[in-house]
């Protein structure tokens, strides 16, 4: 049984990926500093799968703690989620974002190098493309100057991984996600940001639940059909399964280069207003929202061409936006 380390494994995407890993027969060890999640997620994962993952509360910015973990734990691969991830927040806290997102990555790769470890999957982002020249976005699209500090940490992270994988023979895959949404069908895990949400869907669900008075739509003057920004929203369970496909590709030595990257999305773009309308329709309710100024760092539109990921990873999405928004609302209601 392969033992896989999942950093940030109690977070939104991490927890869903842990469930899918366990469902596929992997043994999982989680590192999380609990900065944007709670320990209760560990119990909920256990309820879903019947297996309690090994858990270590570690701040990956502390190099000695990272080294001690690897001194005392053997792993066969790493899926690295742990990072700060809010576009807006990153613009006001650049140094915190660089320290956390870049420093922890370097420390992990150093341990892999020093111990001859292989199989590294990086949680990357479509933000590396900036505002793409053509839509849908393919893997051949140029990586542009980042629109946000968060986006830049993903660009720099990929560059570091590419250099490390080539120099130290570490097989790696970066998954460039588009916008993960939804909750596990059990409704035992989902997106639960601490504090004010930085992403659209939890802000929608919290507004619907009365936790937030009003939803802000950042800009209606974009050059899109209805003036609001367009994104590719992928159900988090589909995204989690993409990590399993990528991990198996590395374990089976089917990767074609030491460093590979794939777009992980649905291939469909939805505007903010379309998301709101779909949420209202599938859940039979009305949202209180208002149009406000654009938010710094946001691009106009981004949605994926998933052809390469579908073919190379033998993976495709199974759920749609309505599925995701229905599960997100069920999850929110459970938090009341």
């Amino acid at each position: 049984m392969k033992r896989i380390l999942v950093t940030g494994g109690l977070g939104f995407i991490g927890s869903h990926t842990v469930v899918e890993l366990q469902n596929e027969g992997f043994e999982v060890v989680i590192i999380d500093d609990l900065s944007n999640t709670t320990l209760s997620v560990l119990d909920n994962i256990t309820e879903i799968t019947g297996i309690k993952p090994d858990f270590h509360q570690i701040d990956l910015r502390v190099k000695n703690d990272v080294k001690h973990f690897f001194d005392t734990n053997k792993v066969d691969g790493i899926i690295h989620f742990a990072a700060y991830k809010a576009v807006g927040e990153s613009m006001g806290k650049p140094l915190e974002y660089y320290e956390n997102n870049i420093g922890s990555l370097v420390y992990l790769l150093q341990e892999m190098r020093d111990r001859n470890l292989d199989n590294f999957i990086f949680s990357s982002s479509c933000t590396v493309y900036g505002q793409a020249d053509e839509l849908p976005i393919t893997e051949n699209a140029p990586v542009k100057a980042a629109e946000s500090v968060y986006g830049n940490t993903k660009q720099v992270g990929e560059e570091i991984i590419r250099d490390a994988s080539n120099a130290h023979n570490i097989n790696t895959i970066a998954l460039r996600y588009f916008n993960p949404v939804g909750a596990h069908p059990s409704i035992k895990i989902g997106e639960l940001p601490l504090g004010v949400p930085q992403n659209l869907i939890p802000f929608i669900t919290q507004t619907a639940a009365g936790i937030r008075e009003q939803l802000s739509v950042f800009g209606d003057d974009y050059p899109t059909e209805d003036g609001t920004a367009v994104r590719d929203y992928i159900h988090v369970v589909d995204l989690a399964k993409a990590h399993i496909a990528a991990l198996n590709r590395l374990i089976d030595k089917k990767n074609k280069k030491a460093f590979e990257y794939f777009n992980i999305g649905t291939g469909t773009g939805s505007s903010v207003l379309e998301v709101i309308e779909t949420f209202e329709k599938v859940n039979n309710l009305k949202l209180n929202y208002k149009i406000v100024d654009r938010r710094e760092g946001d691009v106009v539109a981004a949605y994926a061409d998933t052809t390469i990921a579908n073919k190379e990873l033998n993976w495709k999405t199974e759920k749609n936006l309505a599925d995701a928004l229905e599960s997100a609302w069920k999850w929110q209601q459970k938090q009341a």
Side-chain angles (χ1 to χ4, degrees):
M1 185 186 290
K2 298 288 187 185
R3 190 165 194 250
I4 306 302
L5 168 62
V6 181
T7 72
L10 297 186
F12 175 41
I13 307 168
S15 61
H16 287 81
T17 302
V18 168
V19 166
E20 297 304 322
L21 284 165
Q22 290 186 322
N23 287 344
E24 292 295 317
F26 290 98
E27 182 183 351
V28 178
V29 54
I30 294 171
I31 285 178
D32 203 300
D33 67 357
L34 304 181
S35 64
N36 195 34
T37 188
T38 64
L39 199 53
S40 63
V41 176
L42 187 64
D43 295 330
N44 296 337
I45 290 170
T46 308
E47 283 185 30
I48 294 169
T49 64
I51 304 163
K52 187 170 187 175
D54 185 13
F55 172 69
H56 299 259
Q57 185 173 346
I58 295 172
D59 185 338
L60 293 173
R61 294 173 297 182
V62 183
K63 186 172 184 176
N64 285 342
D65 291 353
V66 177
K67 183 179 185 302
H68 177 72
F69 171 84
F70 284 96
D71 283 341
T72 53
N73 288 272
K74 181 187 179 298
V75 299
D76 300 296
I78 299 173
I79 303 179
H80 181 43
F81 293 107
Y84 296 153
K85 63 180 181 63
V87 168
E89 180 185 65
S90 75
M91 305 302 285
K93 296 182 174 180
L95 297 179
E96 288 86 348
Y97 268 68
Y98 287 122
E99 178 192 29
N100 191 53
N101 294 10
I102 302 301
S104 60
L105 171 63
V106 170
Y107 296 158
L108 285 171
L109 291 170
Q110 285 173 336
E111 295 302 323
M112 295 190 76
R113 174 200 63 195
D114 294 347
R115 299 164 198 274
N116 294 315
L117 298 178
D118 207 1
N119 308 322
F120 186 80
I121 294 174
F122 180 57
S123 169
S124 191
S125 168
C126 64
T127 57
V128 300
Y129 298 114
Q131 181 55 65
D133 297 323
E134 296 180 14
L135 294 169
I137 300 169
T138 72
E139 284 84 351
N140 294 323
V143 171
K144 292 187 168 185
E147 300 276 340
S148 69
V149 172
Y150 164 72
N152 201 38
T153 67
K154 293 303 181 184
Q155 286 187 12
V156 173
E158 284 196 16
E159 291 168 6
I160 290 167
I161 293 166
R162 180 185 290 108
D163 292 342
S165 63
N166 290 330
H168 306 300
N169 198 29
I170 303 170
N171 288 307
T172 62
I173 292 176
L175 298 181
R176 295 173 173 173
Y177 331 144
F178 283 68
N179 293 63
V181 294
H184 192 268
S186 67
I187 315 299
K188 292 185 185 295
I189 54 174
E191 188 169 11
L192 190 62
L194 301 184
V196 179
Q198 300 284 343
N199 295 331
L200 176 62
I201 304 308
F203 220 114
I204 284 177
T205 61
Q206 289 188 16
T207 303
I211 297 168
R212 307 287 163 194
E213 185 179 337
Q214 196 170 51
L215 170 69
S216 294
V217 175
F218 295 106
D220 66 348
D221 58 349
Y222 286 103
T224 61
E225 200 163 307
D226 61 21
T228 62
V230 169
R231 298 290 183 270
D232 185 336
Y233 296 93
I234 177 172
H235 197 295
V236 66
V237 173
D238 283 334
L239 176 58
K241 289 178 178 178
H243 291 79
I244 314 304
L247 180 64
N248 284 327
R249 180 178 176 86
L250 294 181
I251 289 171
D252 296 340
K253 305 298 183 191
K254 291 184 176 176
N255 53 308
K256 295 175 179 175
K257 295 182 290 187
F259 173 73
E260 296 182 316
Y261 48 89
F262 300 100
N263 288 343
I264 306 296
T266 66
T268 301
S270 301
S271 74
V272 175
L273 289 181
E274 285 175 327
V275 172
I276 290 170
E277 288 163 11
T278 304
F279 181 85
E280 290 179 332
K281 184 177 179 182
V282 298
N283 296 309
N284 194 28
L285 48 77
K286 281 289 178 189
L287 278 173
N288 180 26
Y289 68 90
K290 68 173 179 179
I291 308 296
V292 298
D293 291 340
R294 292 189 189 190
R295 183 173 58 178
E296 186 181 8
D298 279 342
V299 299
V300 177
Y303 53 96
D305 183 321
T306 61
T307 306
I308 294 176
N310 297 156
K311 178 172 179 275
E312 294 293 332
L313 298 178
N314 192 27
W315 163 90
K316 64 179 181 179
T317 55
E318 298 171 3
K319 299 175 184 292
N320 60 28
L321 180 63
D323 297 330
L325 295 176
E326 186 176 18
S327 66
W329 177 231
K330 286 179 179 175
W331 165 252
Q332 180 66 60
Q333 288 174 299
K334 194 179 175 188
Q335 309 314 307

